[in-house]
Amino acid sequence: MIEHRLLWNKRYFVPHLYRGQVNTGAVFAPEIVDAIAKEAFKNHQWLYWSRRMILPKMFDAGLCTGMSAWVLLKFAQQETNYEEIYQSAIMQARILLPQAFSQIMADCALMPIRLLMRLKYHFDVMDFRQFALLMIIPQLCNMHQLARAHTLVPYRIISQEHIHQIFVYDCNYPDEEDRKIILDELSGTWRYDHFSSKDWYWSILPLATFYF
């Protein structure tokens, strides 16, 4: 058995010590959405238009990417300028940034075992900005499910023969510490909750994509 764990300043990530609120989505007043967009897209003002058509629907559907990023900031003991939901909304909006979109599209072509190897690299870095977020994205044939895409915080990997267990923090279930992705290296398939490799794929993005 081989184990990898997310470590920072001699501390392992333990979900119950860093968990945030339950992801139930958020509704903001238009002027608050405007402020979030200005903060999220400081260097990409051409995305500011999304504050009317896209961001309100995105936030209402959930803040899983932003809330997962916020938990990693908490683990790394990084102070933020805003409270959890507002900071999470800023980071959630940054899914629309070109660097996020291009990485998500590139990962579509990679086998899960390749992504697992990249994930292990992110466990061993000395810069908290390289902590990994694992996004579950619908395959092209399943794109009508895009609103159900999800983001997790992977923090522990146990590999035994061809089976890999990736333990994850899920902001939809912040009190559950036994949630994990099961990857079968021989078949190249994986499953998590109601997601599976049949209709979904992973993308691994560093925290720096959403927090800078």
Side-chain angles (χ1 to χ4, degrees):
M1 183 181 75
I2 301 175
E3 181 178 22
H4 294 78
R5 297 184 68 178
L6 182 61
L7 181 70
W8 177 254
N9 285 345
K10 300 181 180 180
R11 294 178 295 109
Y12 290 119
F13 183 94
V14 180
H16 76 266
L17 296 180
Y18 308 106
R19 64 188 175 206
Q21 299 181 37
V22 179
N23 175 36
T24 57
V27 176
F28 300 100
E31 61 271 19
I32 301 300
V33 176
D34 288 354
I36 290 170
K38 287 180 180 178
E39 179 70 22
F41 306 132
K42 285 181 178 178
N43 300 320
H44 297 82
Q45 294 185 4
W46 58 276
L47 282 172
Y48 189 55
W49 62 270
S50 66
R51 72 192 189 282
R52 290 289 180 262
M53 298 296 294
I54 297 178
L55 293 186
K57 293 181 179 179
M58 177 190 292
F59 297 156
D60 185 51
L63 300 173
C64 61
T65 300
M67 295 179 80
S68 296
W70 187 87
V71 166
L72 285 175
L73 290 175
K74 187 177 180 181
F75 172 58
Q77 298 177 303
Q78 301 300 307
E79 296 291 335
T80 62
N81 295 326
Y82 309 107
E83 51 85 26
E84 179 181 354
I85 296 300
Y86 192 90
Q87 181 69 54
S88 295
I90 292 170
M91 295 187 288
Q92 182 77 27
R94 289 174 175 159
I95 292 175
L96 300 178
L97 292 176
Q99 58 265 38
F101 183 80
S102 61
Q103 187 63 67
I104 290 169
M105 291 297 98
D107 285 346
C108 179
L110 297 181
M111 296 293 292
I113 193 63
R114 289 282 303 276
L115 291 165
L116 180 68
M117 293 171 62
R118 198 164 89 212
L119 180 58
K120 291 177 180 179
Y121 161 78
H122 285 283
F123 276 22
D124 296 331
V125 295
M126 301 301 294
D127 182 356
F128 76 90
R129 295 173 183 82
Q130 293 303 312
F131 288 167
L133 296 170
L134 190 154
M135 303 182 72
I136 300 179
I137 308 294
Q139 302 276 7
L140 291 178
C141 62
N142 192 39
M143 198 52 67
H144 63 283
Q145 298 274 24
L146 184 59
R148 296 179 62 199
H150 197 32
T151 302
L152 306 165
V153 177
Y155 64 89
R156 184 184 182 195
I157 301 169
I158 295 179
S159 301
Q160 190 164 13
E161 297 182 350
H162 61 278
I163 300 297
H164 306 274
Q165 300 179 76
I166 306 169
F167 290 80
V168 295
Y169 170 83
D170 188 333
C171 60
N172 287 353
Y173 310 95
D175 295 328
E176 298 184 15
E177 299 199 18
D178 59 348
R179 303 191 72 84
K180 56 191 174 184
I181 300 170
I182 304 298
L183 168 63
D184 185 330
E185 186 175 346
L186 292 183
S187 64
T189 60
W190 60 269
R191 66 184 185 278
Y192 172 73
D193 203 13
H194 59 274
F195 301 103
S196 75
S197 51
K198 178 182 178 182
D199 297 312
W200 303 81
Y201 72 93
W202 303 342
S203 184
I204 307 296
L205 282 81
L207 178 60
T209 306
F210 307 102
Y211 179 77
F212 44 82

